[in-house]
Every structure is written in C-alpha cells, then in structure tokens.
Amino acid sequence: MVSISKDSEVLESWQQVLAPYSIGYRIKLLSQLLTRKFTEKLEPFGLTPFHWLVLCCLWQEDGLPTSSIGDKLKQVGGTLTGVLDRMEERGLVRRERDAHDRRIWRIWLTDGGKELEKVLPPLAADLRDEAMSGISAAERELFSQLLNRAIANLG
C-alpha cells in the first residue's frame, strides 16, 4: 500500500501538467476569456469572432478562394461555408466563381465589409491591451514567439 505522503509527492511532481496549473489549461482559459470579451465587443455589429477571422483574412488579401481561407483558419469547409453564407446575407462579402477554374469560389469584401476594417481592429487592439496590461513590449514579443514555437511543435 502506498503511503499518503508518497501519493502527495507523486501529485506534486505532476503539478505542472494537472489542471488548473497546466499550460494547456491556462491557454484554454485565456482563449475562453478573450473569446467571451471579444464576442461582447462584436455583438453590437452582429458579428462573431469567426466573422472577425474571415474579415481579417480578406482585409489582408481580398478575393481569396474559400479553400485558402479555410487553410489559413484551419477550418473544415462545412463550418466555413455556413459562416460565409451568413456574411453574404449580411452584405459583408460576395462570392464569385474563379475566372480560370469554375470549381473555385473567390470571396470578396463588399463596401460594408471594407468599412468594418476602420472600426473593428481598434476594438481588438483595446482587448489585447487589456489582456496584456502590465506586460512589457519585450515580454509580449517573447510570449508571441513562444506560442508560435509551441504551435509549430504540435502542428
């Protein structure tokens, strides 16, 4: 039979991989908190964080094929298709067949989608600043690099 003190030592040795102390749990918690707060900021515009991600892709490169947006966002086609349907209904994007390959649909921003580029990024920056309050620019950069490395390690 294992003694209680021995069990305690074993648990202590695993402390950093057990919730709520594990890095995975804390990253998930941070993601949930950011998503909740950002959802609140987007709500007056009738948008979701997923709409935001699609808009970001198109602000960087308008006219992307649907598959490229999915690849950038690591999303399954069916999920993206529904989001694009709702964005098209709202007048934020339009779909056009590719001139050279009719199997490909390209997604273009409408004037309404372009206008949001002036309004939404400052909201995202405000939330980032709130989350990173008290963290220096150098620490933010290091945090970003470490996250990128961890994502690459698992990707």
Side-chain angles (χ1 to χ4, degrees), residues 69-90:
I69 296 170
D71 290 345
K72 286 178 182 282
L73 300 179
K74 309 289 187 247
Q75 292 297 319
V76 180
T79 304
L80 180 57
T81 300
V83 169
L84 291 172
D85 287 345
R86 288 184 291 286
M87 292 179 77
E88 192 171 29
E89 289 167 7
R90 299 251 345 272

Side-chain angles (χ1 to χ4, degrees), residues 10 28-29 36 38 42 63 69 82 86 96 110 115 121 139:
V10 170
K28 180 179 179 184
L29 180 59
R36 186 179 310 140
F38 200 44
L42 294 173
I69 296 170
R86 288 184 291 286
E96 291 181 11
T110 62
E115 283 297 312
E139 290 170 323

Side-chain angles (χ1 to χ4, degrees), residues 20-39:
Y21 308 105
S22 72
I23 193 165
Y25 176 83
R26 290 181 289 151
I27 288 172
K28 180 179 179 184
L29 180 59
L30 176 60
S31 175
Q32 289 172 330
L33 292 168
L34 286 169
T35 299
R36 186 179 310 140
K37 293 257 188 187
F38 200 44
T39 298

Side-chain angles (χ1 to χ4, degrees), residues 12 16-17 33 37 68 92-93 96 98-99 107 141-142 153-154:
E12 244 179 73
Q16 292 184 349
V17 297
L33 292 168
K37 293 257 188 187
S68 294
L92 301 174
V93 299
E96 291 181 11
D98 184 273
I107 310 302
E141 180 59 28
L142 178 59
N153 288 343
L154 296 175

